[in-house]
Amino acid sequence: MSDNASQQPENSRPTDSSTVRELEDIPSVEVISRAAVMLMSAAAERLGLADAEPENSPRRDLDEARRLITALAGLVTSSVEYLGMHAAPLRDGLQSLQKAFREASAVPDAPGQGPGEKYTGPVH
């Protein structure tokens, strides 16, 4: 055991106060970008895009993918003014997911009705 009682064991979780201190040092654009990348990754998984045969992926769940893509669209659209150089790649990734969703759907949504399209406009 360490003589310094203020040190945490290596395998312990940080306290709420130490987590807050870490987050306050991260620029908002990075927090937003990290959240967007997490949503993108989760949506891609739910579309089965991580597998060689997406249509047969055991992780494929279009309902879950729709929710994630819609959340991503809301985040990216509402944050675009703050994203600077990060905006274009995030919008491109979002549009790719929207197109992949449309292709994966047995009955594609009407233009403007797909996931996130109420925020981004129709994706063709």
Side-chain angles (χ1 to χ4, degrees), residues 63-120:
D63 188 48
E64 287 289 309
R66 176 184 294 279
R67 294 172 188 181
L68 292 161
I69 294 168
T70 299
L72 175 62
L75 176 63
V76 171
T77 302
S78 65
S79 304
V80 72
E81 68 182 289
Y82 309 115
L83 293 173
M85 66 182 197
H86 303 281
L90 291 174
R91 281 191 292 210
D92 291 346
L94 169 59
Q95 189 174 57
S96 294
L97 289 168
Q98 288 172 310
K99 288 178 180 178
F101 183 92
R102 183 170 296 283
E103 290 173 12
S105 297
V107 179
D109 296 313
Q113 300 300 307
E117 291 183 0
K118 71 179 180 180
Y119 302 112
T120 64

Side-chain angles (χ1 to χ4, degrees), residues 9-123:
E10 286 184 37
N11 61 350
S12 73
R13 300 182 81 195
T15 62
D16 288 339
S17 61
S18 68
T19 302
V20 171
R21 274 186 246 123
E22 291 173 11
L23 286 175
E24 72 184 17
D25 295 333
I26 302 172
S28 58
V29 68
E30 187 173 339
V31 174
I32 295 166
S33 296
R34 285 182 185 185
V37 169
M38 181 179 285
L39 289 166
M40 281 182 172
S41 297
E45 284 286 336
R46 295 297 191 234
L47 288 170
L49 299 178
D51 293 324
E53 295 181 38
E55 60 279 350
N56 296 323
S57 172
R59 290 176 287 281
R60 189 173 196 162
D61 184 334
L62 296 184
D63 188 48
E64 287 289 309
R66 176 184 294 279
R67 294 172 188 181
L68 292 161
I69 294 168
T70 299
L72 175 62
L75 176 63
V76 171
T77 302
S78 65
S79 304
V80 72
E81 68 182 289
Y82 309 115
L83 293 173
M85 66 182 197
H86 303 281
L90 291 174
R91 281 191 292 210
D92 291 346
L94 169 59
Q95 189 174 57
S96 294
L97 289 168
Q98 288 172 310
K99 288 178 180 178
F101 183 92
R102 183 170 296 283
E103 290 173 12
S105 297
V107 179
D109 296 313
Q113 300 300 307
E117 291 183 0
K118 71 179 180 180
Y119 302 112
T120 64
V123 175

